Amino acid sequence: MKKYEKKSFLTSVFLFFIPLAIFSSIVLYMYHQDKIKDIEQNILYQMRDYTFDFKSDKFILDVVEYDNNKELFKLYKCKEGLCSYFKAADSGLYLLKVVFPQEKYEKIYKDFIVKIFKFSVVVMFILLFLSFGFAFYSLRPMREALYLLENFLKDIIHDLNTPSTSILLNSKLLKRHGDFEEIERIELSAKTISSLYKNLEFITQKGIEKNENISVSQVINSKIDVLHKLYPTIIFKKDIEDFFIKTNENALERILDNLLTNACKYNKKNGIVHIIASKNKIIIKDTGIGIKNVSRVFDRYYKETDRGLGIGLSIVKKLCSALDIKITIKSKIEEGTSVELVL
């Protein structure tokens, strides 16, 4: 089950189970209160029957002086347990005090609580089972829709690759007959489409092998050369030390391409993109518009403007995890963003 499926599944379980659990708890509490009243009422009637023959060993009998404040045939809580008062035969000066001992009442109450607890556990398990069933059932249409969407995406990725590759090849052939600005623009646009294709390709990719020895400065410089043509008003500053790492070249290119493109795309006019690369660390700083909600930038399809698809940084996070790269983003609105990669 994928991350977004788990989130949807758990949300459905929570939304179904919690209201039912609350409702069941209220019903069980009301049942508990009524049952306690029934138990006490039953004890009171047994006390009354006891005053006729005094043959039960459940109760303790005492004789007390008559008191107007003591209501007859009513259950009281006294220090000995539960007690009630009845008229003594042929006497108006004394009352019979019948006591149901506290330890006996606690045993009856404890047995009842154990039964209701067992019943509550069974009810909660049934509700949880129903909640899981409901969640699986509600997840089914979403899974079917996502399955269709993923297949559609795979077809789009496959069909996108052919025309973008063809445009790049033909633009390079046209350059042999004359290097015109229009041809360069076509080539840059084709590279942009190719970059989008590679991003989409990584969404459906499963495993990434780290078996290539890559020059970090070479990858960064090649990306800057392309971006400088696409964003001619952006000023690029470089403090790059050349070093090699063993990783996946295509994946590392995707990470840097997305981060550098964002640094340019969301920068201000005549803004600066500063790239610092030293041993096992790359820092990309820009003077752009900043990010409002840094904690959500890696969520797929999350975006703070109308530009883009909202998949670039989610792919970056996925690739960083696959390549064991630690990524940290700090940002201030209208001041800029800093991204640090620890390789």
Side-chain angles (χ1 to χ4, degrees), residues 164 167-169 171-172 175 179 181-193 226 229-230:
S164 63
I167 293 169
L168 278 171
L169 288 173
S171 61
K172 287 179 180 179
K175 272 190 172 182
D179 193 3
E181 186 179 347
E182 289 80 2
I183 297 174
E184 188 173 357
R185 287 176 184 171
I186 292 171
E187 185 179 8
L188 289 172
S189 298
K191 286 181 178 179
T192 303
I193 296 172
V226 175
K229 295 175 182 178
L230 288 170

Side-chain angles (χ1 to χ4, degrees), residues 252-340:
L252 182 62
E253 284 182 353
R254 288 295 87 229
I255 292 170
L256 293 173
D257 181 73
N258 278 292
L259 294 176
L260 288 169
T261 299
N262 282 350
C264 296
K265 188 190 298 183
Y266 301 108
N267 215 320
K268 300 172 184 176
K269 190 176 181 180
N270 299 319
I272 299 171
V273 175
H274 190 188
I275 304 100
I276 304 166
S278 57
K279 190 174 182 181
N280 297 329
K281 185 180 287 187
I282 300 172
I283 300 173
I284 300 170
K285 298 180 180 179
D286 66 62
T287 56
I289 60 175
I291 301 169
K292 295 177 184 176
N293 193 346
V294 176
S295 62
R296 292 198 60 196
V297 292
F298 296 125
D299 294 347
R300 187 176 293 181
Y301 309 123
Y302 173 76
K303 53 183 182 177
E304 297 183 345
T305 67
D306 294 333
R307 302 172 67 183
L309 298 174
I311 61 172
L313 287 178
S314 68
I315 292 170
V316 167
K317 181 65 175 177
K318 177 182 176 182
L319 294 176
C320 284
S321 298
L323 299 178
D324 297 321
I325 296 173
K326 182 181 177 182
I327 180 169
T328 307
I329 297 181
K330 296 178 182 178
S331 185
K332 287 185 179 181
I333 298 298
E334 299 302 328
E335 290 187 22
T337 301
S338 175
V339 182
E340 181 179 282

